[in-house]
Amino acid sequence: MKKWTELVPGAVVLEAGSSAKFKTGSWRTFRPEWLQENCIQCLMCWLYCPDMAVKVADGKMTGFDYDYCKGCGVCAKECPGKQGKKAIIMKPEGK
Amino acid sequence: METRELLKWSAQVKLREKSKQEGRLEHGHRMCAGCGAPTVVKMVLMATEYPVVLSNATGCLEVSTCIQEFTAWKTPWIHTAFENAAATLAGVETMYRALLKKGKMPENVKFIAFGGDGGTYDIGLQSLSGAMERGHDMLYVCYDNGAYMNTGIQRSSATPLGADTTTSPAGSANPAGKLQQRKDLTRIMADHGIYAAQASPSHWLDLMNKVKKAHSIKGAKFLNIIAPCNRGWRTATDNSIELSRLAVETCYWPLYEIEDGKLKVTVTPEEKKPVDLFFKPQGRFKHLYSPENEGVLEKIQAQIDKTWERLLKESEGPC
């Protein structure tokens, strides 16, 4: 936006949930990785994700939405995993 | 144990069904990584199976979900000032009742106001008290992170004793951080004769049940939910749910509800843990472990024990 005339009139946002156009994935320094073989589909990652960045389809976790994941690591910490093996691990971004 | 497993299983099935529905808070909001507040909002809205109208007091949640040009909300949502989230929603609810009588509105619309602890415990207290006293059919949800986190971690009346904030700093003049007790707002709200409860995102089933129960009651309702803030609590970003769980297990944040003046403890921890476990991962309590603050932790622990015992005594039968 360069000129004030391009501002939305009256600061009204006309579209619900338009924040989806703003991608927060670049905030991330750690990246969650999903190990499908250890996943028990408890959906705790989906429930606890503060950024709605866990993708689910038909009631099952299918991966992460890296456009929005801020890399906080709550999902990895809360993941119960299978037999002590986590289904989500955090890895440094860019490696 | 078996019934507990069964309960967990049936809850999981319900969660699966919930995951198929469209969320009401969209991604792309600019709350910090690992913030507890969006999780709280998400859970409250997930448990609300009605059309809703929301109002939001000034705070982190309000400013970072509606930064110019964007909104993260998929529901009617009113941006209010710091002190009047409850008053605004009370007005909307009154208008709704008038229009409902004329048949111009659909039935069963629910009203929820969100506010942080600054906008609820301090600045918005009088309008909140007024709305609750008048008995508007609305639910007020306070997400309590224990300070004015949005403006830079200033103390509020929800800040716990001993916490280091920018306006109650622990230093050479005052080594102990905040010197005053926190306000027990849930009790104050319950004394309005309304349904009031305390919840935590770590115990999500309990939280959702309380929201559902609140919606089934006609009149004013108040819900106080702990929402860890990793910036203000000086802790790692992945700690928010773990800390809210520890708050419950140490009885720092007991889960109970008060209905018609009757108190019921809804979650009794299997083993009551020392408050030290909740304090240790948080940098805002770091100074309490230095030699000049000897005895402060014991004092806090004694207070928590006293409150918990009082709650159990008043409770109609813990489950």
Side-chain angles (χ1 to χ4, degrees), chain B residues 218-276:
Chain B
K218 212 168 164 56
K221 285 89 58 177
F222 177 80
L223 210 53
N224 203 356
I225 307 178
I226 191 167
C229 165
N230 52 61
R231 289 287 297 113
W233 291 16
R234 307 280 182 220
T235 183
T237 54
D238 61 354
N239 250 345
S240 61
I241 301 300
E242 177 68 14
L243 278 177
S244 59
R245 185 175 297 119
L246 282 170
V248 174
E249 287 174 352
T250 56
C251 297
Y252 164 83
W253 191 263
L255 301 183
Y256 63 91
E257 57 183 13
I258 303 174
E259 196 184 356
D260 294 330
K262 281 178 200 152
L263 189 144
K264 191 182 166 210
V265 173
T266 53
V267 173
T268 314
E270 277 178 30
E271 177 201 356
K272 186 170 169 292
K273 293 179 176 165
V275 75
D276 184 52

Side-chain angles (χ1 to χ4, degrees), chain A residues 1 13 15 17-20 22 27 41-42 44 46-52 59 68 70 72-74 77-78, chain B residues 12 16 19 25-31 34-35 38 42 69-73 201-202 204 237-239 241 245:
Chain A
M1 210 183 308
V13 184
E15 191 190 335
S18 60
S19 65
F22 188 90
W27 294 20
Q41 291 295 350
C42 63
M44 284 301 124
W46 167 79
L47 182 70
Y48 287 134
C49 177
D51 294 304
M52 283 61 81
Y68 303 101
K70 292 170 190 161
C72 65
V74 167
K77 191 151 191 171
E78 294 305 315
Chain B
Q12 220 108 58
R16 211 165 290 288
S19 76
L25 185 67
E26 190 59 276
H27 41 214
H29 63 72
R30 275 168 266 182
M31 303 290 275
C35 175
K42 193 166 124 177
E69 280 186 88
F70 303 106
T71 175
W73 301 89
S202 59
W204 57 275
T237 54
D238 61 354
N239 250 345
I241 301 300
R245 185 175 297 119

